[in-house]
Amino acid sequence: MSLINSKKLRSLKKRVKNSAKEILNRSLDQHINLAVTGLSQSGKTAFITSLVNQLINEGSGKPLNFFDPVHQGRYIAAKRVPQNNLHISRFDYDDAIEQLSKTEPEWPQPTKSISELRLAVRYYPKNSLLKYAGEMATLYIDITDYPGEWLLDLPMLNQTFEQWSEQMGELLKQAPRSELSAEFLAKVEAIDPFGPVHETELAELAQQYTDLLLAFRYEQGLSVIQPGRFILPGEHAGAPILQFIPYPFFANIEADEYNSAGQDTFIGMLRARYLEYRERIVRQFYKQHFVKFDRQIVLADCLTPLNNGSEAFNDLQQAISLIMESFAYGKSNLITRLFSPKIDKLLFAATKADHVTAEQHGNLTSLIEQLVFKAKKSLSFDAIKMKTLAIAAIKTTEQGQSEYQGKIINVLRGKRLDNQKLITLYPGAVPAKLPKNEFWQEGGFNYIAFKPYTAISQHQALANIRMDQVLQFLLGDKMK
Ligand SMILES: Nc1nc2c(ncn2[C@@H]2O[C@H](COP(=O)(O)OP(=O)(O)OP(=O)(O)O)[C@@H](O)[C@H]2O)c(=O)[nH]1
Ligand SMILES: [Mg+2]
């Protein structure tokens, strides 16, 4: 009798112990949605590839000194696990790593839409009692890559077709866009807005407007592109919902006639498609994806616009202000009124810092801080913790010293992207403040793009600049 009792007691004790362990583990397991964005070519794919690669390989090569779980010896391992949202494309980590592991390593291919990847990161929690008891915790990280252009559309949610058209008209009529848009504007003005609408004509006009947007982005190096989906349509490529244009000639038409125009008229159809785009695409993105994000990284390539001149740089500043509106969670802000976003930390990173010498990184950080600061002043960011950093997800250069006109200067050595030649150069100084006229008159800035120099082998972490600080800011507090 007593034997049975003691056996029962032991099994009961074991069960209690196990379930307590389970409850503990369950409460230690956490989940975080990390969103990565930035305008096209800002470095999103390279960034996510490096972030995943650092976590999987634990920074082997260059230790992740500023990432507490690694620094404190509590980090165990990370692995990729199947993502939850099966309807969203998978972030192609393997392909990116394959490109970077070739004997002649290449940059990963440009991406055009939203994609996801899920990681499980194991670590010992900081509480030493648990650590010695061998208790592990897991942090599940869902990483989403989406085009920053999609955030440029946020203000549309608050604008009628007329207001949006006026605003786009102003942009199109100003330099430098006016150099390319005159013909298109003349064509639109010549159309009778109350005449019958022809589907094919509208599709052609929308294509011409899209070509203009592409030229603004890739020929003129400009950043404010609206509607953002026109150049990065994702799954909507070719759909009629993307076939409309702004009509910046409201001064020529009667308000009453406009208000009563049916969908069989040119202007009526433009208005209907605009509203459809606004509701089904812009609002839907915020409702379906944005509200789920816990933390956001916005990547900005400040160096290319510095290369492209003052107009490109000022346009980047305007685009950053527009992007920031999605993170301004003051009570009266548009984004808070329409949705209930929950992002609590926002990292603003100036990418490709390996293109400038180390002593210029301070300037690059203060430059991006100033770009952000202007938007910060006019919006309320009370609920969000922000940080700015100058980073290189994948470092392609080595720094050395050289003598120039009797002085020792810091130089970079790397492989040019355009002709694959190894060069040593002094890329110039990054302005610490928003550049004034003199900066542009003195020749501005002239950096040369590099390609990855040495191939990585399996289980090797990618050389980088400050990815450990990125990890600490985004994940450190979740892995205590
Ligand atoms: N030197 C250097 N170049 C970088 C780095 N990250 C990105 N680049 C360059 O920037 C280009 C674009 O990087 P991606 O990571 O593809 O940028 P993205 O934002 O994903 O671009 P899209 O998918 O086209 O929107 C690369 O092909 C490289 O030339 C970096 O850390 N260092
Ligand atoms: Mg990409």
Side-chain angles (χ1 to χ4, degrees):
M1 184 75 179
S2 73
L3 188 71
I4 293 173
N5 267 347
S6 75
K7 222 176 168 183
K8 259 189 177 169
L9 198 67
R10 249 184 293 147
S11 115
L12 186 69
K13 265 187 182 168
K14 205 171 162 190
R15 257 188 291 153
V16 170
K17 205 174 152 197
N18 279 348
S19 72
K21 224 174 174 180
E22 227 172 70
I23 290 167
L24 194 65
N25 269 341
R26 233 180 290 146
S27 62
L28 288 174
D29 285 357
Q30 288 193 73
H31 172 247
I32 188 170
N33 280 318
L34 212 62
V36 180
T37 198
L39 298 178
S40 59
Q41 295 290 292
S42 56
K44 301 179 289 295
T45 304
F47 176 86
I48 296 176
T49 304
S50 178
L51 187 130
V52 172
N53 169 268
Q54 305 302 329
L55 287 174
I56 289 180
N57 299 305
E58 210 191 307
S60 62
K62 184 185 179 233
L64 301 165
N65 283 336
F66 283 94
F67 184 35
D68 284 351
V70 169
H71 180 65
Q72 295 165 354
R74 298 186 289 106
Y75 192 87
I76 301 171
K79 66 170 183 186
R80 282 181 292 150
V81 290
Q83 73 197 58
N84 264 4
N85 299 317
L86 300 179
H87 59 288
I88 297 176
S89 316
R90 196 167 46 87
F91 178 87
D92 205 346
Y93 177 76
D94 293 316
D95 183 63
I97 288 292
E98 201 181 308
Q99 297 299 323
L100 293 160
S101 322
K102 288 202 239 170
T103 334
E104 269 294 327
E106 300 283 350
W107 287 110
Q109 292 295 315
T111 44
K112 296 271 168 259
S113 191
I114 189 163
S115 64
E116 259 191 29
L117 178 147
R118 181 172 243 224
L119 276 181
V121 185
R122 291 219 128 171
Y123 64 99
Y124 293 114
K126 208 168 179 181
N127 185 329
S128 56
L129 207 68
L130 288 171
K131 183 178 168 185
Y132 293 117
E135 296 288 359
M136 292 183 282
T138 308
L139 177 65
Y140 292 95
I141 313 172
D142 276 309
I143 306 173
T144 307
D145 171 351
Y146 70 94
E149 280 78 0
W150 294 4
L151 298 180
L152 296 177
D153 286 347
L154 178 76
M156 291 171 99
L157 291 174
N158 221 16
Q159 286 173 324
T160 61
F161 176 61
E162 195 175 338
Q163 288 165 334
W164 177 71
S165 294
E166 293 291 332
Q167 202 183 24
M168 291 304 107
E170 267 170 47
L171 268 184
L172 291 168
K173 288 170 197 167
Q174 263 170 36
R177 288 177 176 79
S178 53
E179 291 161 25
L180 302 175
S181 59
E183 198 186 318
F184 172 77
L185 286 174
K187 198 166 180 182
V188 177
E189 195 171 17
I191 296 172
D192 172 10
F194 302 107
V197 63
H198 302 289
E199 283 274 337
T200 43
E201 186 189 12
L202 195 51
E204 266 171 43
L205 275 172
Q207 187 55 53
Q208 281 169 26
Y209 183 62
T210 308
D211 292 344
L212 264 183
L213 294 178
L214 287 166
F216 296 155
R217 178 76 187 134
Y218 296 109
E219 281 172 34
Q220 296 186 319
L222 302 176
S223 305
V224 177
I225 301 296
Q226 250 191 39
R229 293 296 191 303
F230 276 37
I231 66 164
L232 286 153
E235 79 266 32
H236 302 288
I241 199 163
L242 299 191
Q243 288 168 355
F244 65 95
I245 53 166
Y247 184 80
F249 303 104
F250 273 88
N252 301 351
I253 62 177
E254 292 291 329
D256 280 353
E257 211 178 342
Y258 168 66
N259 290 332
S260 56
Q263 275 196 34
D264 51 346
T265 63
F266 180 70
I267 195 92
M269 177 61 99
L270 289 184
R271 180 178 54 203
R273 293 230 171 130
Y274 168 82
L275 293 176
E276 188 83 358
Y277 176 88
R278 201 178 77 173
E279 298 308 308
R280 277 197 188 233
I281 297 192
V282 184
R283 194 181 298 275
Q284 195 56 24
F285 165 72
Y286 283 92
K287 266 166 70 179
Q288 196 186 344
H289 300 288
F290 195 84
V291 290
K292 295 189 189 133
F293 299 153
D294 300 305
R295 298 212 162 153
Q296 175 76 55
I297 307 106
V298 178
L299 302 175
D301 171 3
C302 300
L303 299 173
T304 307
L306 273 182
N307 256 16
N308 284 338
S310 66
E311 280 162 340
F313 193 81
N314 293 340
D315 214 67
L316 171 72
Q317 179 159 16
Q318 213 179 323
I320 288 185
S321 296
L322 281 172
I323 287 176
M324 294 296 281
E325 285 186 32
S326 290
F327 308 104
Y329 296 166
K331 278 197 192 78
S332 57
N333 287 332
L334 175 65
I335 183 91
T336 323
R337 277 188 284 118
L338 296 180
F339 314 100
S340 303
K342 54 176 183 161
I343 293 168
D344 63 347
K345 278 186 158 187
L346 173 63
L347 175 68
F348 237 95
T351 53
K352 313 182 191 180
D354 57 326
H355 281 111
V356 293
T357 43
E359 82 280 358
Q360 299 298 323
H361 290 174
N363 280 9
L364 190 55
T365 313
S366 56
L367 186 65
I368 189 145
E369 231 157 55
Q370 294 215 358
L371 282 170
V372 173
F373 184 71
K374 203 155 171 225
K376 231 170 154 180
K377 269 204 305 200
S378 59
L379 300 163
S380 161
F381 292 93
D382 300 344
I384 219 163
K385 198 169 170 194
M386 278 176 61
K387 188 176 173 75
T388 41
L389 274 175
I391 64 161
I394 300 171
K395 184 169 167 264
T396 59
T397 56
E398 289 300 330
Q399 185 161 325
Q401 290 195 321
S402 188
E403 204 184 310
Y404 179 71
Q405 294 183 342
K407 274 202 240 158
I408 298 289
I409 54 163
N410 286 329
V411 289
L412 293 179
R413 188 169 165 77
K415 211 174 211 183
R416 282 182 78 129
L417 185 60
D418 50 5
N419 63 12
Q420 333 269 316
K421 289 215 169 87
L422 254 180
I423 50 161
T424 301
L425 86 164
Y426 174 66
V430 178
K433 295 208 169 105
L434 300 176
K436 300 225 163 65
N437 277 345
E438 304 89 76
F439 174 82
W440 304 110
Q441 278 152 13
E442 282 161 18
F445 185 76
N446 186 21
Y447 94 84
I448 285 167
F450 291 104
K451 69 182 301 224
Y453 181 36
T454 32
I456 49 158
S457 56
Q458 235 194 343
H459 310 304
Q460 194 185 359
L462 288 155
N464 68 86
I465 299 172
R466 297 193 189 88
M467 284 302 282
D468 53 350
Q469 292 191 40
V470 167
L471 291 169
Q472 178 59 20
F473 179 73
L474 296 172
L475 306 175
D477 60 325
K478 293 279 177 190
M479 293 175 69
K480 280 194 168 160

